[in-house]
Structures are given as C-alpha cells and as structure tokens.
Amino acid sequence: MDLSRLNAERLIQNLQTGVVVHSPDTGILYANPAALNILRLTKEQALGRDSFDSKWKLLDEFRQPLQSSQYPVSVVIKTQKPLMNLEIGICDSSSDEITWVLCNAYPEFDEQNNIAEIVVTFIDITHQKQAIPFKEIVELASDVILVTEASPITNDGPKIVYANQSFTKVTGYHLDEVRGKTPRILQGAKTQQATRDKIRHALENKQQVSEQILNYKKSGEPYWIDMNIFPLKNALGEVAYYAAIERDITKMKQYQAQLKDLTIKDPLTNLLNRRGFMETAKLALDECIKDSQHLTLTMIDIDHFKRINDQFGHEGGDSVLQSIAATFKSFCDSDDIIARLGGEEFCIVSPTKCVSTVVKTLAKLQDHLKDNPVQLSSGGQVSYTISSGVSSLTSESCSLQGLLRNADTALYNAKTTGRNQTVVFNQSLDYE
C-alpha cells in the first residue's frame, strides 16, 4: 500500500475543513466526514449525488438562491480556473437552517489536460456570519436603505428584496408591502422623467449613480430624497444587487424654494417679479411653440395710479396693488402666469388661450373693478380702472421679447386713446 496516499487520506478524513471531490458531470465521488456533517448527509446519501440536486440549494451572501451557473463546481468547469474564498449558504429541504461556509474550488486535470475532478473545500463560518448579520447592521440606520435585485431590470425597474425601518418611517410602507415590487411604486406624476432615465441608464450599465428625486409616500404626500445607488458584487465579481442609501431632504428643498421665492417673487403682491416672469414665461412659450398651441400675452397698467398715491398715500396705493393681484388670481386659470413687472405695471401670459378668450376675460375683469372699489383700512374706498394691451403668438412674433414689445405698443395705444379699455396689437399700432 502507498503509505503517502494512506497518510493523505487519514489527514483528509480528520480535517475540520470539508472536502468534496466531484466528477466532471458534478457527481460526488468523495466527501470527508466534515463535509458530510456540513451537508447533513451520510456517506451513502452523498456518493453519486450531483450539485444540482433539488433537495438542497446554495445561497449567496444576501440569502438569495444562487443560479446553477454560479455554483462553485459550475464556475470551475466553465473557467477551468480555481475559485477562491466564495461565501455561500447551504440548506436543504429538511430545515430552514442555513450553514454558512467559505468555499474554495479548483480543477484537477488528466494527461490530456481535460478536467478529471473538481475538488471543493469549505470551512464552516456560520457562527461568524450570525455574529455580524447583514440585517442588523442596516435595520436601525437613520438613512433609508433599499436593496433591489440587479436583474432582470423590467420596464418598471428591479425588484425590491429588502428595506429597513427608516424606509417604513419615511414612506409609510412596510417591507412586506413592497417586497417583489419595484421602486417605481414610490414615483408619481411630478417625479422627473429625466431623473428616472439617468437612474435606469446607470442600472443597465451596472454603474453607481447619485440623484435627487421626488417620490411619494403611501399616503400620497410628496417627499424629496438624496439617493446614492451602488452595485453589490458577489464573490464572482458579478453585480447581484443594487443598494440605495437615501436621505430625506424635503425640508432642505422647501428651504431652497423659499429662498428662490425671495429672488423671483414680488414681496408686496406675492406675484412673480420681472426675473421670475422672464424665466417662467420663456418655458411656457417654448412649450406652446413646440406643441403648436395658442399663447396670449397681456400688459396691464392701473390708470392714474399716481393720483391714487397722492390722494391716499402709499398705504392706499399698496392696498390697490394687493387687491388687483388677488383679483387677477381669481380671474385667471392655474396655468396662467401673472407677474408684477414694476410699479403699477402687470403682465399675464395665457398658454393655450386665443386672443378672443383673453379679451372676454379682460372685459369681465374691468366690470368687476368698476363694481368693487378697494376698501382701505382707514375706512375710505378707492375706485380705479385699468388699461390693457394684448399680443399673441404668431409666426412673425414668436419670441418673448417680441410679444412684450407688441403688447406694450397696444397698451400705449389704450392709454393714449382714453384708458379703461383693452387694445389688441396689430401692425397698424406699430409706431416705430
């Protein structure tokens, strides 16, 4: 008998490390006692069994089933190279208990350089795995942590496999309500499509991505998050999951909006100021041009406003400005853009509305002002009228500056021919 071979067999038999030898078709040729104990098999049960037996399964480090192509034996057969330090879980149909092992596998070649055997060794690390479980690390984290599968990425995105307590606190959803669904359930009507596209592009290319996105809670309430998504790779170097660390930045966004309001809104009337108007009106104009829609722009002046200030003081003048701003809001639709450009000068942009519709609204507005004088805190009343100039989007006038210039020309005509009236721009009004 070959004493060296006998000694080697005795050594393997007494090792605390599990040793399994597979044939090229993955059938088990040999398993030492440590391996049988870890696999919960007798020697008779193990011999001849292949790696893909449905009675047991292998899990990755996140407790998700490994595909058969990711089994250590399969990887070695495919690559014909050793596999080192792969952390996997082993369980079978008899129990939910998982045995965690650190696995190594390497091929043995015959004289023709074909794989003759695959030797797999594994060390039981179950105690170590339980001492620092993944769930307990992140469950109580203050940031929201969401984990999704890496593939397949459906039209709605990857499926959710884990969410921590902070996710529930922020969104109102429990893990059981979202597991198996996609993060798209958190998105809504005002979630930016461009942001969605950037995230999807990164996921499809297995890349990290950071974005700020508007999501919606279970109650329907919107909230903003600063989100960092990064891929999680398994021991084979393949992207198996995506983890998203999310921070609620709703209060910060609200504060930023308040700061922006200070720069684009008139503090007296709470209407857009000239800067805010130019930014907003330009966007509306571009949309109407793109969709071949109507757009009408109206310039409005309060008639003889200096007399109001002279008679009632600046407090009376401010009351008139605040009153007409509120009146504009009540007569305009939600998509109309209303601004105080300065002094007693106002401007209204009406997307999708033709001139005749706007002129009818202005006539109703003038009647309302005639019948509803402004009540001053001092007890007095101020009656006043307005003059309006209207221009519309045409092929000759398709810039914001052009529309403003034409409406201003019409307004000048309304003021010089009697005031308290509306004039619509046409080429005969161009005095230049």
Side-chain angles (χ1 to χ4, degrees), residues 141-158:
S142 58
D143 288 338
V144 171
I145 296 177
L146 195 67
V147 180
T148 67
E149 295 177 347
S151 62
I153 297 180
T154 64
N155 290 335
D156 292 333

Side-chain angles (χ1 to χ4, degrees), residues 16-33:
Q16 295 302 307
T17 300
V19 179
V20 176
V21 180
H22 293 268
S23 64
D25 64 1
T26 78
I28 297 177
L29 301 174
Y30 171 81
N32 73 342

Side-chain angles (χ1 to χ4, degrees), residues 195-235:
T195 304
R196 290 179 180 177
D197 292 343
K198 287 180 183 178
I199 294 171
R200 185 175 186 86
H201 177 77
L203 298 186
E204 289 176 341
N205 289 278
K206 305 291 192 292
Q207 296 172 340
Q208 182 175 345
V209 60
S210 296
E211 289 290 336
Q212 292 182 353
I213 189 170
L214 179 68
N215 279 346
Y216 291 81
K217 300 181 181 182
K218 185 179 179 180
S219 63
E221 179 186 353
Y223 69 101
W224 280 92
I225 56 169
D226 184 29
M227 176 171 58
N228 182 27
I229 304 175
F230 53 91
L232 298 176
K233 295 182 180 180
N234 60 24

Side-chain angles (χ1 to χ4, degrees), residues 80-122:
Q80 298 199 359
K81 294 180 180 179
L83 179 65
M84 307 299 292
N85 298 326
L86 177 67
E87 183 181 312
I88 58 176
I90 302 173
C91 58
D92 59 35
S93 57
S94 66
S95 171
D96 292 332
E97 182 181 350
I98 301 172
T99 300
W100 291 99
V101 300
L102 194 63
C103 176
N104 292 274
Y106 60 91
E108 292 282 357
F109 297 96
D110 60 21
E111 294 178 355
Q112 286 75 42
N113 207 31
N114 296 317
I115 294 180
E117 298 174 340
I118 303 96
V119 180
V120 181
T121 66
F122 36 88

Side-chain angles (χ1 to χ4, degrees), residues 292-344:
S292 301
Q293 294 277 0
H294 291 290
L295 181 139
T296 301
L297 186 147
T298 306
M299 296 284 289
I300 300 172
D301 259 10
I302 298 174
D303 295 330
H304 302 297
F305 187 69
K306 184 176 183 302
R307 294 181 188 176
I308 295 174
N309 274 333
D310 291 344
Q311 183 177 355
F312 298 98
H314 289 291
E315 182 179 349
D318 288 350
S319 295
V320 170
L321 292 171
Q322 290 172 326
S323 175
I324 197 169
T327 302
F328 287 151
K329 290 178 181 178
S330 66
F331 273 79
C332 291
D333 293 333
S334 59
D335 60 344
D336 289 340
I337 301 164
I338 314 169
R340 180 190 176 198
L341 300 186
E344 71 276 19

Side-chain angles (χ1 to χ4, degrees), residues 123-391:
I123 301 172
D124 191 334
I125 59 169
T126 304
H127 178 73
Q128 176 185 340
K129 185 73 175 178
Q130 290 177 338
I132 313 177
F134 160 74
K135 183 177 179 181
E136 289 184 12
I137 294 175
V138 300
E139 187 64 22
L140 301 178
S142 58
D143 288 338
V144 171
I145 296 177
L146 195 67
V147 180
T148 67
E149 295 177 347
S151 62
I153 297 180
T154 64
N155 290 335
D156 292 333
K159 293 181 180 179
I160 296 169
V161 297
Y162 174 77
N164 68 347
Q165 291 183 24
S166 290
F167 173 86
T168 300
K169 184 177 179 180
V170 170
T171 68
Y173 287 104
H174 291 276
L175 175 57
D176 290 343
E177 296 177 277
V178 298
R179 185 188 284 114
K181 298 181 180 178
T182 78
R184 185 66 65 86
I185 66 168
L186 302 170
Q187 299 169 4
K190 294 185 178 181
T191 304
Q192 304 86 337
Q193 186 61 48
T195 304
R196 290 179 180 177
D197 292 343
K198 287 180 183 178
I199 294 171
R200 185 175 186 86
H201 177 77
L203 298 186
E204 289 176 341
N205 289 278
K206 305 291 192 292
Q207 296 172 340
Q208 182 175 345
V209 60
S210 296
E211 289 290 336
Q212 292 182 353
I213 189 170
L214 179 68
N215 279 346
Y216 291 81
K217 300 181 181 182
K218 185 179 179 180
S219 63
E221 179 186 353
Y223 69 101
W224 280 92
I225 56 169
D226 184 29
M227 176 171 58
N228 182 27
I229 304 175
F230 53 91
L232 298 176
K233 295 182 180 180
N234 60 24
L236 303 177
E238 300 168 333
V239 176
Y241 301 92
Y242 288 105
I245 299 178
E246 305 172 357
R247 180 160 296 178
D248 189 340
I249 57 169
T250 305
K251 289 184 178 179
M252 184 189 78
K253 282 287 187 178
Q254 291 170 343
Y255 179 64
Q256 290 175 343
Q258 291 170 357
L259 290 179
K260 185 174 172 98
D261 278 352
L262 294 177
T263 65
I264 67 171
K265 286 196 173 181
D266 169 47
L268 179 65
T269 62
N270 203 35
L271 300 177
L272 291 172
N273 59 20
R274 182 177 291 273
R275 176 184 173 183
F277 169 78
M278 297 300 287
E279 292 177 1
T280 310
K282 179 65 168 59
L283 293 174
L285 176 63
D286 290 345
E287 284 295 312
C288 288
I289 291 175
K290 183 183 73 173
D291 298 335
S292 301
Q293 294 277 0
H294 291 290
L295 181 139
T296 301
L297 186 147
T298 306
M299 296 284 289
I300 300 172
D301 259 10
I302 298 174
D303 295 330
H304 302 297
F305 187 69
K306 184 176 183 302
R307 294 181 188 176
I308 295 174
N309 274 333
D310 291 344
Q311 183 177 355
F312 298 98
H314 289 291
E315 182 179 349
D318 288 350
S319 295
V320 170
L321 292 171
Q322 290 172 326
S323 175
I324 197 169
T327 302
F328 287 151
K329 290 178 181 178
S330 66
F331 273 79
C332 291
D333 293 333
S334 59
D335 60 344
D336 289 340
I337 301 164
I338 314 169
R340 180 190 176 198
L341 300 186
E344 71 276 19
E345 185 180 54
F346 296 84
C347 188
I348 301 173
V349 170
S350 303
T352 74
K353 294 185 180 68
C354 63
V355 170
S356 60
T357 299
V358 170
V359 169
K360 289 177 183 177
T361 301
L362 290 170
K364 294 177 182 178
L365 175 61
Q366 287 171 317
D367 289 341
H368 174 84
L369 295 177
K370 181 174 60 177
D371 298 331
N372 294 274
V374 177
Q375 304 293 324
L376 301 180
S377 58
S378 60
Q381 290 185 339
V382 181
S383 296
Y384 65 95
T385 60
I386 60 171
S387 298
S388 307
V390 178
S391 65

